[in-house]
Amino acid sequence: MKGKAIALAAGCCLLLSGCGGLDLLPYARELEGMALMRTLGVDAAAEGVAVTASTDAGEEGGERAQVAERTAPSISAAVLGMQAEGAAYVYFGHVGQLLLGEPLARRSAGEALDYVLRDVEMRLDTELYVVRDGGAGEAIAQAAEEGSAAGRLEAMAEDLGLAARSMPRTVRDVLAGLERCGASFAPALRAEGGTFSAVGYAILKDGTLAGWAEDEAAYGVNLLLGQVDADVVEVPVPGGESAALRVVGARTRVRPRFQAGELTGLEILCRVDANLAGGNADLEDPAVRTALEDGLSWKESGRIRAALALGQELGADFLDLQSAAGSAAPWHWGELQAQWEKWPELDWTVEVRAQVRRSYDART
């Protein structure tokens, strides 16, 4: 009964969306009724693109994920080819992750993003990843050897907050950034032996891969966007020891600096809150507290500078600093729009103010 209900619900959705019978062509020979694809990968190919789709693994762990691959001039043609290969109806409305291989992203990520935007089954809240130093199809296939790409990616996404240098990004997020300021970013990952690991961000400019935000720059991205939940920083204290500080929050403001109507620079102001997570530092000692806060401010300031320098080097406002500056000084919005093209050469200052407390201290 459950299978019939799912099939009936899917049929109703398709009728409401205006899909005709030709859109219901199936592909999977070994699955009956419906194959729910959970992960989609797109790679560059000599004749167009290579598309890989994967289901999830069985709930009991005894059923392996099903993987389908197709090469065609376009993503749409590849998907239709998959649907024409078997006896089951292949449904892409459950795809939760879209993976782009690095060569494809360098050639053009726009086709894959546009496919998600326009296809009747795909969803804009699909999470986007760029596979560094590899292909999406190979990563998906290897993950299916012992589980599924969907399961491993979902587990990785839940842990991204603990890494503090990566965050989930949807196709909608990336498309909005590209439309608004011509640049955006998406989590970068490495795939090895069927496992995935987050390695910062892929920077997209004009729909293609322009570079990578790694290490300190990746931390800086999260700081600028206030997405730091569990960053642990080692800071020296008087006496030669060190203390572990857990960053639990960050709030940043971007202010434009004008002289005689000319945009001359940006001021970055960041407030960082942290808890004492380890060490014997006495926070009641003003000298110790000042040393910890100064050390944390210096560390986080360097990370923000690394992210800003990367954006200027690539000529990619992937952090949408223009909108942030405009929100801080809306009366200068006209000048910002007219002069923003010179932002890669602008001077900027970074000021980070850190506050350190004990983790059990509820005082604000």
Side-chain angles (χ1 to χ4, degrees):
M1 292 297 293
K2 183 177 180 180
K4 292 182 179 179
I6 293 175
L8 180 59
C12 291
C13 292
L14 290 168
L15 287 174
L16 288 173
S17 65
C19 291
L22 292 178
D23 293 325
L24 305 181
L25 292 174
Y27 96 91
R29 300 179 189 279
E30 56 276 271
L31 296 177
E32 294 182 1
M34 180 181 293
L36 302 178
M37 292 300 168
R38 296 291 311 283
T39 307
L40 192 68
V42 185
D43 291 300
E47 61 180 271
V49 293
V51 177
T52 304
S54 172
T55 66
D56 204 348
E59 294 182 1
E60 303 300 326
E63 181 182 343
R64 293 176 58 182
Q66 302 298 309
V67 178
E69 301 174 342
R70 190 81 174 189
T71 299
S74 67
I75 299 175
S76 297
V79 168
L80 288 174
M82 291 179 188
Q83 292 175 326
E85 288 181 356
Y89 167 57
V90 183
Y91 183 57
F92 290 88
H94 282 231
V95 170
Q97 304 99 9
L98 173 64
L99 275 62
L100 306 181
E102 180 177 342
L104 182 281
R106 289 197 180 278
R107 189 179 76 183
S108 175
E111 180 183 356
L113 298 176
D114 188 64
Y115 174 76
V116 176
L117 176 64
R118 299 181 183 279
D119 186 77
V120 68
E121 290 184 350
M122 294 292 291
R123 303 176 303 173
L124 287 174
D125 62 354
T126 298
E127 293 181 347
L128 179 66
Y129 299 93
V130 178
V131 181
R132 185 163 189 181
D133 301 325
E138 182 181 1
I140 292 172
Q142 289 182 353
E145 292 295 325
E146 296 183 7
S148 69
R152 294 181 183 274
L153 287 168
E154 287 171 357
M156 187 188 75
E158 291 177 358
D159 294 337
L160 286 185
L162 299 178
R165 63 178 183 274
S166 191
M167 72 180 84
R169 296 273 289 173
T170 67
V171 172
R172 178 186 287 108
D173 295 331
V174 174
L175 281 172
L178 291 172
E179 175 66 24
R180 190 166 53 246
C181 48
S184 192
F185 64 98
L189 59 83
R190 275 199 173 95
E192 190 172 350
T195 62
F196 300 109
S197 58
V199 288
Y201 298 107
I203 309 304
L204 302 176
K205 178 183 176 182
D206 299 328
T208 62
L209 177 62
W212 308 97
E214 305 174 279
D215 303 326
E216 299 299 90
Y219 282 109
V221 171
N222 281 35
L223 280 166
L224 285 165
L225 297 181
Q227 297 293 322
V228 179
D229 296 323
D231 178 18
V232 177
V233 179
E234 293 285 335
V235 177
V237 294
E241 298 182 358
S242 63
L245 303 179
R246 178 179 177 181
V247 179
V248 295
R251 297 178 296 279
T252 303
R253 294 190 64 185
V254 180
R255 295 176 178 172
R257 187 167 60 240
F258 284 88
Q259 289 184 357
E262 291 294 318
L263 178 63
T264 59
L266 298 174
E267 297 176 358
I268 314 297
L269 308 174
C270 182
R271 163 74 179 272
V272 175
D273 296 313
N275 294 333
L276 180 62
N280 298 318
D282 181 9
L283 293 184
E284 298 300 324
D285 185 334
V288 171
R289 182 185 289 270
T290 298
L292 290 176
E293 293 178 343
D294 288 348
L296 181 59
S297 296
W298 179 85
K299 180 70 172 180
E300 302 298 60
S301 175
R303 291 172 165 178
I304 291 175
R305 291 175 184 276
L308 294 172
L310 176 63
Q312 289 192 313
E313 176 187 344
L314 298 175
D317 185 16
F318 65 94
L319 293 167
D320 198 8
L321 298 175
Q322 181 185 21
S323 294
S327 296
W331 54 90
H332 281 304
W333 181 242
E335 294 98 322
L336 277 171
Q337 287 183 303
Q339 302 179 44
W340 191 250
E341 62 181 17
K342 64 181 181 181
W343 82 269
E345 288 77 40
L346 291 178
D347 293 328
W348 35 262
T349 60
V350 177
E351 180 181 354
V352 177
R353 299 173 183 173
Q355 182 178 34
V356 178
R357 297 179 295 174
R358 294 182 295 266
S359 59
Y360 53 83
D361 191 348
R363 292 176 297 175
T364 57

